[in-house]
Amino acid sequence: MSHENGLFPVWCDDFRPQNILINKDERVAGVVGWEFTYTAPVEVTRTPPWWLLLEKPEYWTQGLDDWCAQHEKRLPVILQAIMKCEEEACQTGNGQLQESQRLSSQMRRSWESADFWIMYAARNNFAFDAIYWNKIDQRFFGSSGSDNNICDVWKRLGLLEPEESEVMEKYSSLKLQENKTRVLSWGPDEYTAEYMAKMKA
């Protein structure tokens, strides 16, 4: 990522065709679904939209590889449309859009470099495991020599520092103990403080 300390523009995770209101003249009249709005790294704004297929990759019945293949077929269409708008904006000469602000080339680069998947996994926690093991892990840590994601997990444990492994062992033991008692805590702040104290002990 090229902007470690910013920029952090406003971003809405629910900005998609279903939430855009069109009037009788087929012009945008409004946008709904702003409850998932926050500030995000600028790279998030430079990723191509996942909704080109109207279905998220983790729900694609034919699998992630097929989703990617279908997405790649549609990506040039939207990039071409964006480029057309960019050309018009750049040619107006009133500073509406500068060359460095073009999204089309940045979106293409995000897809080709696979940065798209980092941004997607960060914003879709329910899909994180599937996306991480299929699209992110090997990019940064190389092949684990296995197609089995569970085996990958165990092999990756060897990358942890001894202190990190020790904390993980403590965490696993505590979770197994809690599974036996199944105590429900109503005070998350107190619970977290107590949990951290146990981890440090």
Side-chain angles (χ1 to χ4, degrees):
M1 291 175 52
S2 57
H3 297 89
E4 293 289 341
N5 300 306
L7 309 163
F8 296 96
V10 173
W11 178 261
C12 178
D13 268 334
D14 213 17
F15 185 64
R16 52 199 169 101
Q18 292 94 324
N19 286 341
I20 299 175
L21 307 178
I22 306 295
N23 63 20
K24 62 181 181 180
D25 299 319
E26 297 185 356
R27 299 182 67 86
V28 175
V31 178
V32 298
W34 290 99
E35 64 270 27
F36 299 105
T37 303
Y38 54 93
T39 56
V42 69
E43 284 83 1
V44 171
T45 68
R46 296 173 178 174
T47 58
W50 62 262
W51 43 256
L52 298 182
L53 300 179
L54 301 179
E55 186 70 270
K56 289 189 171 185
E58 63 269 28
Y59 300 134
W60 193 254
T61 55
Q62 288 82 14
L64 190 57
D65 289 339
D66 185 72
W67 186 93
C68 292
Q70 299 304 321
H71 190 271
E72 282 192 340
K73 292 177 183 177
R74 288 160 176 77
L75 185 57
V77 177
I78 192 169
L79 291 182
Q80 187 174 5
I82 293 173
M83 287 174 64
K84 181 180 178 181
C85 293
E86 290 172 340
E87 289 295 335
E88 293 174 357
C90 286
Q91 290 174 7
T92 57
N94 61 2
Q96 185 178 357
L97 182 72
Q98 299 176 9
E99 285 292 331
S100 61
Q101 295 174 315
R102 288 178 179 264
L103 276 179
S104 57
S105 57
Q106 295 174 36
M107 285 183 172
R108 182 181 292 107
R109 192 159 46 246
S110 173
W111 179 258
E112 292 174 350
S113 69
D115 283 350
F116 167 87
W117 293 109
I118 296 174
M119 297 300 109
Y120 186 86
R123 290 162 34 219
N124 295 272
N125 59 320
F126 289 110
F128 186 86
D129 265 2
I131 300 301
Y132 178 82
W133 291 113
N134 283 284
K135 295 296 181 182
I136 300 174
D137 177 76
Q138 293 189 26
R139 174 183 173 188
F140 292 98
F141 301 108
S143 174
S144 66
S146 172
D147 293 329
N148 187 320
N149 288 345
I150 296 176
C151 292
D152 287 347
V153 174
W154 294 113
K155 290 189 177 184
R156 293 307 186 218
L157 291 177
L159 298 174
L160 296 175
E161 296 293 332
E163 297 81 8
E164 295 170 329
S165 295
E166 184 180 350
V167 170
M168 182 173 283
E169 286 295 330
K170 287 183 178 180
Y171 178 79
S172 300
S173 297
L174 284 171
K175 297 309 284 184
L176 288 172
Q177 291 173 12
E178 288 180 353
N179 190 46
K180 295 176 183 177
T181 59
R182 296 185 182 275
V183 175
L184 181 62
S185 174
W186 292 103
D189 291 338
E190 294 176 9
Y191 175 78
T192 302
E194 182 182 351
Y195 208 90
M196 292 305 296
K198 288 180 181 178
M199 295 293 288
K200 293 177 181 178

